[in-house]
């Protein structure tokens, strides 16, 4: 699971530069939460596009931890990138006044999708491509809001496990306090990733790596000392949330169907 | 055969995916730069006229080898030998992942990729027919053999070229980078390992030309290199950088290696043919 952070940085910087500029964009836009993933993605984005070409959005809701919001603003300052701070409380609350619920998950998903909506709005205002911040662990475990924080145009961290993002963060010089912070989606007070999933990243990453990267069997992983229940849980999460990693499915009717045998690259003609 | 010092140009090229005309324009500019620097050969990567991740675009972008697009390359090849990769539509309308070699105003060789990768991220057999011909041809650089990308990972193909008298091997490639745990991409090391072995034990110069740029998140590493008949990497291009590199090679190094180390003389091809024709061990 070790990575050569220098090589990873070089590759991801080139990836962002290439996949953004060839579509005629100079700029990128990114949501900053004050957490590790968005900070690392912003560091890479600023290096790829230049600080003048990365725009950060800090999007607090009334329950957001003010520490995270301050850290997000501070990161924008450290990188020297333009940022907009837009409070999204009003539009969330007006919706739930009319459609009340006590379900934290519903409210959390709504917040994540509102942020997505603002980020895409700013991508058009700024003529900038949306840089995503989802890592491989959360993509595999389905720990993200479909069409919320999972939505983006380019996602530099999508092939790095959370523990690898930590490694990369240290190499990139991300401030210590961001690296030491307990990972959280901060969608309600006291929420933590590991608490909500009932999994430790360090364990989840090792299991995912063995099963999917090294193609080891479930039995092998359990034999090498991992708790059977945890292994089962991880595998069932990966399976259950496969839909979040795909585009909407289309029923085949014609001889040429999008998503089936209409096989064109996204980077068509660029 | 000519011996002596020659300048070759390696185009570590980034194609525009699926745009034949823009790529041809870009190729011509690179060729003109190489002519200005008195290079005698310019090599572009696999599928340089089209890009790699074509999928259904292969049907639109395939051209026959007698197409008018090649006229400007024929003309330029009076001043410099040119190799590039393209999607070829054969006379029978089947589609190949091919290379074209131009020299002295003519298209002198078409080579069709033999070992199409079709696993994991690769799906070349879905779109291409595999080639079935491996014949070196005479150029100012010697008996020249071409291998395209995964072909180069089969020592049997390099060995077959050696048997057929090749002493100058061009390998054009579109190798997606992967493996970021070590000093360099682990995918890159296997190309250099193969290059060093072929150049030393088959007494050939090996010129490996890989592309750069990203397509749908697949990054192509670059890291083009030249290895000589002493088994040394004598030139290595940086990773990920699009550029035109000029390399001096001394063909007398090769010719000396062939005389002194005499791997060709001491190989017993008839014996090897017999070994293989005897069949696999489990057949007995």
């Amino acid at each position: 699971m070790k990575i050569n952070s220098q090589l990873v940085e070089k590759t991801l910087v080139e990836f962002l530069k290439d996949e953004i500029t060839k579509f005629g964009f100079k700029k990128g836009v990114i949501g900053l939460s004050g957490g590790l993933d968005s900070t690392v993605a912003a560091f890479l984005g600023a290096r790829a596009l230049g600080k003048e070409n990365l725009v950060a959005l800090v999007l607090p809701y009334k329950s957001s931890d003010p520490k995270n919001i301050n850290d997000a603003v501070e990161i924008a300052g450290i990188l020297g990138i333009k940022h907009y701070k837009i409070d999204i409380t009003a539009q969330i609350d007006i919706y739930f006044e009319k459609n009340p619920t006590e379900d934290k998950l519903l409210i959390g998903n709504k917040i994540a999708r509102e942020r997505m909506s603002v980020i895409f709005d700013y991508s058009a205002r700024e003529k900038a491509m949306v840089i995503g911040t989802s890592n491989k662990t959360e993509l595999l475990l389905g720990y993200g809001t479909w069409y919320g924080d999972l939505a983006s145009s380019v996602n530099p961290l999508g092939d790095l496990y959370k523990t690898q993002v930590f490694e990369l963060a240290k190499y990139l010089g991300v401030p210590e306090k961001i690296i030491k912070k307990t990972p959280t989606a901060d969608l309600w007070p006291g929420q933590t990733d590991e608490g909500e999933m009932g999994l430790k990243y360090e364990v989840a990453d090792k299991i995912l790596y063995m099963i999917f990267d090294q193609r080891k069997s479930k039995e092998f992983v359990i034999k090498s000392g991992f708790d059977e229940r945890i292994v089962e849980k991880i595998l069932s999460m990966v399976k259950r949330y496969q839909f979040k990693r795909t585009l909407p499915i289309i029923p085949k009717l014609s001889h040429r169907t999008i998503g089936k045998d209409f096989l064109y690259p996204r980077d068509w003609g660029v | 055969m000519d011996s002596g010092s020659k300048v070759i140009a390696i185009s570590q090229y980034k194609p525009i995916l699926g745009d034949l005309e823009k790529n041809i324009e870009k190729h011509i500019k690179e060729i003109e730069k190489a002519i200005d620097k008195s290079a005698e050969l310019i090599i572009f990567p696999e599928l340089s006229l089209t890009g790699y991740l074509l999928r259904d675009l292969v049907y639109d972008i395939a051209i026959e080898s007698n197409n008018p697009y090649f006229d400007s390359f024929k003309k330029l090849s009076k001043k410099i030998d040119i190799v590039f990769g393209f999607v070829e539509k054969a006379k029978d309308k089947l589609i190949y992942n091919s290379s074209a070699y131009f020299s002295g105003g003519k298209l002198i060789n078409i080579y069709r990729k033999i070992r199409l990768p079709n696993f994991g991220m690769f799906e070349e057999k879905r779109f291409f027919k595999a080639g079935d011909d491996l014949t070196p041809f005479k150029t100012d650089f010697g008996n020249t053999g071409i291998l395209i990308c995964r072909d180069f990972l089969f020592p049997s193909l390099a060995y077959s070229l050696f048997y057929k008298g090749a002493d100058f091997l061009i390998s054009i490639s579109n190798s997606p980078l992967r493996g970021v745990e070590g000093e360099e991409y682990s995918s890159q090391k296997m190309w250099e390992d193969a290059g060093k072995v072929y150049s030393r034990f088959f007494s050939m110069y090996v010129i490996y030309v890989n592309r750069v740029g990203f397509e749908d998140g697949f990054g192509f590493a670059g890291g083009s290199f030249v290895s000589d008949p002493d088994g040394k990497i004598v030139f290595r291009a940086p990773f990920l950088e699009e550029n035109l590199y000029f390399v001096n090679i001394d063909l007398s190094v090769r010719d000396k290696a062939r005389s002194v180390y005499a791997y060709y003389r001491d190989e017993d091809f008839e014996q090897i043919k017999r070994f293989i024709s005897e069949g696999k061990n489990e057949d007995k």
Side-chain angles (χ1 to χ4, degrees):
Chain A
M1 291 209 58
K2 229 185 91 214
I3 53 164
N4 173 348
S5 292
Q6 191 188 358
L7 193 58
V8 170
E9 183 209 4
K10 188 179 159 131
T11 309
L12 297 182
V13 163
E14 275 308 309
F15 160 77
L16 286 171
K17 216 187 279 181
D18 198 346
E19 293 283 14
I20 291 174
T21 58
K22 71 179 163 192
F23 283 93
F25 289 91
K26 257 172 62 186
K27 291 163 80 174
V29 60
I30 189 166
L32 274 187
S33 68
L36 183 76
D37 298 321
S38 63
T39 302
V40 170
F43 268 65
L44 295 168
R47 286 177 196 185
L49 304 169
K51 60 182 182 186
E52 63 289 357
N53 290 319
L54 185 64
V55 177
L57 289 165
V58 182
L59 304 169
Y61 177 64
K62 66 184 177 195
S63 69
S64 301
D65 185 340
K67 256 196 298 184
N68 289 335
I69 301 306
N70 292 339
D71 286 348
V73 171
E74 195 183 318
I75 293 298
I78 289 170
L79 291 173
I81 59 178
K82 183 161 82 173
H83 79 276
Y84 298 98
K85 188 167 146 186
I86 299 166
D87 192 299
I88 58 165
T89 306
Q91 56 259 50
I92 299 292
D93 284 357
I94 201 162
Y95 176 80
F96 284 113
E97 267 164 38
K98 299 200 170 163
N99 304 277
T101 179
E102 292 299 307
D103 189 335
K104 281 190 294 191
L105 205 58
L106 288 189
I107 299 169
N109 279 334
K110 177 74 182 157
I111 294 169
R113 292 197 179 103
E114 181 57 31
R115 289 191 175 127
M116 178 278 294
S117 164
V118 173
I119 293 169
F120 273 86
D121 178 56
Y122 267 77
S123 84
R125 289 170 193 251
E126 296 276 338
K127 295 187 175 57
M129 213 185 248
V130 177
I131 298 176
T133 63
S134 300
N135 62 59
K136 190 171 184 175
T137 311
E138 57 188 23
L139 287 171
L140 285 173
L141 297 178
Y143 189 66
T145 299
W146 205 24
Y147 299 112
D149 54 300
L150 295 180
S152 67
S153 302
V154 283
N155 184 15
L157 306 183
D159 204 14
L160 290 173
Y161 290 106
K162 184 78 176 187
T163 46
Q164 295 174 321
V165 178
F166 274 107
E167 281 306 302
L168 181 61
K170 284 182 216 155
Y171 172 79
L172 293 175
V174 166
E176 188 82 6
K177 65 172 172 185
I178 304 284
I179 295 175
K180 286 213 164 130
K181 212 182 258 188
T182 307
T184 172
D186 197 12
L187 294 171
W188 55 80
Q191 184 190 24
T192 67
D193 295 3
E194 294 181 332
E196 200 186 356
M197 287 191 286
L199 290 171
K200 291 261 170 228
Y201 274 122
E202 217 171 297
V203 175
D205 284 1
K206 280 186 188 145
I207 295 172
L208 289 167
Y209 180 78
M210 285 172 92
I211 291 186
F212 294 106
D213 292 76
Q214 297 188 305
R215 300 175 194 252
K216 303 283 189 203
S217 69
K218 190 171 77 183
E219 292 69 31
F220 180 91
V221 175
I222 293 164
K223 254 194 214 154
S224 31
F226 291 95
D227 184 332
E228 184 171 352
R229 281 164 311 170
I230 298 285
V231 175
E232 292 287 3
K233 179 177 178 160
I234 284 175
L235 285 177
S236 79
M237 285 172 86
V238 173
K239 222 185 269 181
R240 188 179 340 135
Y241 296 118
Q242 172 69 355
F243 71 90
K244 292 192 185 182
R245 295 181 289 268
T246 64
L247 288 170
I249 51 166
I250 293 171
K252 186 162 179 66
L253 295 173
S254 71
H255 293 285
R256 204 100 190 268
T257 309
I258 294 161
K260 297 199 163 43
D261 42 19
F262 179 80
L263 301 175
Y264 293 97
R266 168 162 130 159
D267 294 359
W268 190 346
V270 293
Chain B
M1 181 194 312
D2 281 6
S3 281
S5 184
K6 291 192 181 291
V7 180
I8 59 172
I10 289 177
S11 175
Q12 194 159 281
Y13 181 80
K14 173 155 72 171
I16 299 128
L17 183 58
D19 194 326
L20 200 58
E21 281 170 20
K22 275 196 201 147
N23 281 312
I24 288 174
E25 233 173 80
K26 215 173 144 187
H27 274 60
I28 289 171
K29 280 191 193 138
E30 294 294 286
I31 294 165
E32 282 166 350
K33 275 190 240 167
I35 292 171
D36 281 347
K37 293 266 172 120
S38 310
E40 293 178 56
L41 167 65
I42 181 168
I43 307 169
F44 293 89
E46 177 185 16
L47 293 173
S48 58
L49 279 198
T50 62
Y52 182 73
L53 203 68
L54 295 159
R55 312 194 81 193
D56 277 356
L57 287 172
V58 294
Y59 309 112
D60 306 329
I61 213 162
I63 46 179
E64 297 193 28
S65 55
N66 62 356
N67 72 80
Y69 287 119
F70 283 1
D71 292 348
S72 36
F73 295 114
K74 285 180 190 159
K75 216 164 130 198
L76 287 162
S77 79
K78 288 177 184 160
K79 294 182 181 155
I80 186 170
D81 285 10
I82 302 163
V83 189
F84 58 70
F86 73 112
V87 179
E88 183 199 1
K89 189 185 281 181
K91 284 207 178 71
D92 57 10
K93 308 303 171 198
L94 292 171
I95 293 172
Y96 295 88
N97 178 342
S98 297
S99 66
Y101 194 114
F102 296 86
S103 182
K106 282 188 255 174
L107 172 62
I108 63 164
N109 179 268
I110 295 273
Y111 170 75
R112 295 168 175 167
K113 185 173 184 174
I114 292 176
R115 295 278 179 264
L116 301 171
N118 216 50
F119 61 96
M121 66 183 136
F122 302 105
E123 47 181 10
E124 289 186 33
K125 280 185 190 161
R126 186 171 189 166
F127 299 103
F128 296 113
K129 179 164 169 59
D132 189 32
D133 181 47
L134 191 66
T135 311
F137 53 98
K138 290 252 183 265
T139 69
D140 288 347
F141 304 87
N143 281 319
T144 301
I146 295 189
L147 293 174
I148 301 182
C149 207
R150 194 158 189 254
D151 290 341
F152 192 66
L153 302 178
F154 286 80
S156 47
L157 294 182
Y159 180 82
S160 301
L161 282 169
F162 172 61
Y163 166 65
K164 291 180 165 208
D167 56 14
F168 189 77
L169 178 57
I170 296 171
S171 171
I172 63 173
S173 191
N174 274 190
S175 173
L177 65 90
R178 54 212 187 272
V180 290
E181 54 285 340
E183 278 293 293
E184 53 188 52
Y185 303 117
S186 58
S187 53
Q188 202 52 29
K189 193 174 173 297
M190 73 186 172
W191 301 104
E192 288 194 12
D193 286 349
K196 281 190 269 192
V197 169
Y198 302 161
S199 57
R200 170 169 236 152
F201 299 112
F202 303 151
S203 304
M204 299 169 168
Y205 263 102
V206 171
I207 322 288
Y208 172 84
V209 180
N210 191 22
R211 63 162 286 187
V212 290
F214 284 79
E215 287 176 0
D216 288 17
F218 290 110
F220 297 88
S224 304
F225 67 85
V226 176
S227 59
D228 77 2
D230 289 329
K232 285 198 302 263
I233 303 284
V234 293
F235 167 78
R236 180 189 285 124
F239 291 135
L240 305 179
E241 277 176 33
E242 184 178 33
N243 213 336
L244 184 63
Y245 300 97
F246 295 93
V247 186
N248 275 296
I249 58 167
D250 183 356
L251 293 178
S252 70
V253 171
R254 184 230 6 237
D255 297 346
K256 194 183 77 195
R258 291 184 87 84
S259 308
V260 178
Y261 307 142
Y263 285 112
Y264 193 83
R265 180 195 66 198
D266 297 341
E267 178 58 288
D268 186 340
F269 293 106
E270 292 313 311
Q271 181 187 55
I272 297 299
K273 280 193 238 172
R274 177 169 61 76
F275 287 162
I276 289 176
S277 68
E278 281 166 4
K280 295 178 196 168
N281 214 19
E282 65 250 29
D283 298 340
K284 288 184 182 164

